[in-house]
Amino acid sequence: MRKKVGSLDIYKYLPKINCKKCGEKTCMAFGSQLIERKVELKDCPHLKRESLKSLEEILAPAVREVVFGELPVSIGGEEVLYRHELTYFNQTAIAIDIHDEMGKEELSKRIKFVNNFSHERIGETLTLQAIAIRNRSGDAAKFEKCVEETAKRTKKALILCSWNFEALNKALEIIGHKKPLIYAATKDTWKEVGGLAVKYNCPVAVFADNDISELKSVVNALQRMGIDDIVVDPGSRLGPCTLQLFVMLRRSAMDEDKVLNRPILGVPAAVYLQGGNGLKEAMAASLMMAKYADLIILHNIEIWALLPILTLRQNLYTDPRRPVRVEAGIKEFGSPDENSPVLLTTNFALTYYTVASDIESAKVDCYLIVLDTDGIGVEAAVAGRQLSASRVKKAIDETGIGKKVRHKKMAIPGLAARISGELEQLCGWKILIGPNDSSDIGKFIEGRWKA
Ligand code: SF4
């Protein structure tokens, strides 16, 4: 298994003169930031060619990173098998499929959907990254027209999907400069399709159905042509065989296999189109993302299927080293005045955004004190003393909430009820026990707060 790179592995190749030109105070700090991918080797002007080469080798991720598209999408580039060992860097890119036999209206609807799709969750905007254009007709001219029309209407990254070399060739003549992902090179077409990848300097996906050794030999052949930006597709089914293949591929990358260290493409759309349905496709997408798919192609764009997939992706790609948190302090909802309620919550992002959205839905004018609990949720923060009477008192003093309202009454989360007595004694405010679930805030304000 690949050895984890540490700061000292990097430091020995750095100039060790602490000149600060890279923006870091020391070479050691620069080394740490390199591992975190927050700086780049080019940021140090003093690196000698040999050191640069060694550092490039040490820092090369276990899974090669591939970038494609006009609005560039980075996939792969991962260092670890399990997220908790470090973090995952590039989230699974999601593409929606269209094809060259689709009616104009449907085509236009799907392109618009991808362009405009945006969903806010825990302070992050979730979007779709790419459009996969399928040559369903098998006809090169039809495919060319569809690709041309699509490229005019979107800047999203494109994936050109055809088994017909001529169709790929014609499409690349039009949009090769936009760096689409070419899909796919197979054991029968690798030479011709590889030639297109070289000519247009585009990444290429290799497809070998349920056959890792065939996949490896095609990747090998493309490598010998000088192509490095390669994505692998071992075939997609809803079942254990696909997942086993995905896991084998990712394990190979972690074992420093320099052929199979490639981003993995999963095609849940194949599950849908082979007589499945939206639910089965969503299940396939979820399983594939959990087991290392770096890029997936979906067919179903119904929101009930997309939102769970996007939510799962967001959770998988959260950095486990940093709790997702928001800024602590005092937030105002609606138009609060000196008689408005004062509520308390933690700065764990998921808690904060849920509470904020429930207050907005209930249309309550109020103040919300967001306590710095190191990004930990209510129950765990009470247990760990990040949500304690003394911390809440400090927040009351620092936020100056006492000057904004004429009363001295505050509602704390129901799950923090056990600190209410100590808190009342310490700060002299009347403490109300709020609901366990913030969706009951509206009822709580109308009932217990006003009683
Ligand atoms: Fe060290 Fe290079 Fe940064 Fe200067 S620019 S501090 S030599 S890493």
Side-chain angles (χ1 to χ4, degrees):
M1 195 61 90
R2 182 181 155 92
K3 181 178 162 272
K4 205 169 159 186
V5 178
S7 303
L8 287 176
D9 301 317
I10 307 287
Y11 183 67
K12 62 183 174 194
Y13 294 103
L14 294 177
K16 306 181 190 70
I17 55 174
N18 301 334
C19 73
K20 302 188 177 66
K21 282 189 183 155
C22 56
E24 299 299 323
K25 285 187 180 149
T26 61
C27 295
M28 183 61 108
F30 180 74
S32 304
Q33 295 295 76
L34 275 174
I35 295 171
E36 292 287 326
R37 300 194 199 172
K38 293 198 171 138
V39 295
E40 294 178 45
L41 287 171
K42 66 176 168 49
D43 296 331
C44 172
H46 301 296
L47 282 174
K48 301 233 162 60
R49 193 183 297 173
E50 275 173 18
S51 303
L52 191 61
K53 198 164 171 276
S54 304
L55 285 167
E56 278 171 351
E57 276 168 24
I58 293 172
L59 290 166
V63 180
R64 194 180 164 86
E65 185 172 82
V66 170
V67 181
F68 71 103
E70 186 178 5
L71 271 179
V73 176
S74 298
I75 54 173
E78 302 304 345
E79 296 279 6
V80 291
L81 197 58
Y82 302 109
R83 185 187 68 147
H84 64 261
E85 293 173 310
L86 178 64
T87 185
Y88 293 154
F89 289 96
N90 292 320
Q91 65 174 10
T92 308
I94 298 179
I96 301 297
D97 82 326
I98 58 172
H99 61 73
D100 58 2
E101 289 185 321
M102 232 168 218
K104 267 190 181 166
E105 216 171 284
E106 179 70 0
L107 198 73
S108 171
K109 184 180 126 197
R110 289 174 78 86
I111 296 170
K112 248 193 215 162
F113 181 83
V114 177
N115 287 343
N116 300 336
F117 184 87
S118 160
H119 177 71
E120 290 290 325
R121 185 173 180 273
I122 330 177
E124 194 185 331
T125 306
L126 311 181
T127 58
L128 302 167
Q129 284 65 49
I131 296 176
I133 312 170
R134 293 190 292 122
N135 179 208
R136 194 168 92 165
S137 68
D139 182 279
K142 267 193 181 170
F143 187 58
E144 179 188 10
K145 193 157 177 270
C146 183
V147 169
E148 188 173 18
E149 281 301 308
T150 308
K152 275 186 204 158
R153 295 186 203 175
T154 188
K155 287 197 178 332
K156 294 281 179 183
L158 297 177
I159 307 171
L160 302 177
C161 309
S162 178
W163 307 119
N164 178 346
F165 163 75
E166 197 44 48
L168 288 174
N169 191 19
K170 278 184 174 297
L172 283 163
E173 278 173 14
I174 302 168
I175 63 147
H177 61 287
K178 296 190 177 197
K179 216 175 171 190
L181 172 64
I182 306 171
Y183 182 98
T186 65
K187 70 176 173 28
D188 301 318
T189 62
W190 63 267
K191 211 175 212 167
E192 293 81 3
V193 176
L196 290 177
V198 172
K199 183 173 171 189
Y200 291 98
N201 191 23
C202 289
V204 61
V206 172
F207 173 73
D209 193 19
N210 204 14
D211 189 336
I212 292 279
S213 54
E214 185 179 305
L215 200 65
K216 192 164 186 171
S217 92
V218 178
V219 174
N220 227 328
L222 292 174
Q223 275 183 312
R224 285 199 302 272
M225 292 175 78
I227 302 167
D228 277 322
D229 289 339
I230 301 169
V231 175
V232 288
D233 173 10
S236 295
R237 295 173 178 81
L238 179 55
C241 62
T242 297
L243 292 184
Q244 274 166 12
L245 293 171
F246 279 33
V247 172
M248 276 167 71
L249 285 168
R250 191 47 44 96
R251 280 194 177 278
S252 301
M254 296 305 152
D255 287 337
E256 305 196 56
D257 184 319
K258 295 296 178 207
V259 179
L260 291 177
N261 60 337
R262 312 286 163 180
I264 302 170
L265 167 63
V267 190
V271 173
Y272 186 102
L273 298 168
Q274 285 157 16
N277 54 38
L279 182 60
K280 284 188 180 168
E281 183 191 44
M283 285 162 61
S286 306
L287 291 168
M288 287 175 189
M289 283 195 305
K291 286 296 167 202
Y292 317 124
D294 300 286
L295 167 64
I296 55 171
I297 300 176
L298 297 175
H299 179 71
N300 187 15
I301 55 171
E302 286 177 83
I303 206 71
W304 63 263
L306 272 182
L307 282 188
I309 293 170
L310 289 162
T311 302
L312 174 65
R313 179 180 70 172
Q314 188 185 25
N315 290 339
L316 286 171
Y317 285 85
T318 300
D319 189 337
R321 299 164 301 174
R322 295 180 190 88
V324 197
R325 64 183 81 184
V326 296
E327 202 182 330
I330 189 162
K331 313 273 180 194
E332 295 184 5
F333 289 83
S335 310
D337 59 25
E338 56 193 19
N339 298 310
S340 296
V342 176
L343 311 176
L344 178 90
T345 191
T346 74
N347 74 331
F348 173 43
L350 190 53
T351 304
Y352 170 76
Y353 284 107
T354 307
V355 171
S357 140
D358 286 334
I359 292 175
E360 278 160 5
S361 308
K363 297 190 172 43
V364 175
D365 297 324
C366 67
Y367 296 101
L368 178 67
I369 294 182
V370 182
L371 185 70
D372 182 1
T373 55
D374 305 331
I376 295 172
V378 176
E379 237 174 338
V382 171
R385 305 291 293 161
Q386 289 90 351
L387 201 177
S388 62
S390 58
R391 280 206 184 196
V392 177
K393 160 122 184 23
K394 197 164 168 251
I396 290 173
D397 295 342
E398 286 176 358
T399 56
I401 184 67
K403 290 184 188 142
K404 288 181 184 283
V405 290
R406 284 173 58 185
H407 60 82
K408 280 193 157 193
K409 194 163 81 168
M410 173 192 285
I412 63 172
L415 294 172
R418 77 165 101 146
I419 68 160
S420 60
E422 189 188 350
L423 183 56
E424 264 190 2
Q425 276 188 354
L426 200 64
C427 65
W429 283 51
K430 180 174 171 51
I431 302 299
L432 297 184
I433 312 295
N436 279 351
D437 188 325
S438 61
S439 61
D440 289 330
I441 280 178
K443 268 192 266 165
F444 169 80
I445 297 292
E446 282 307 310
R448 287 211 50 220
W449 182 273
K450 291 186 177 170

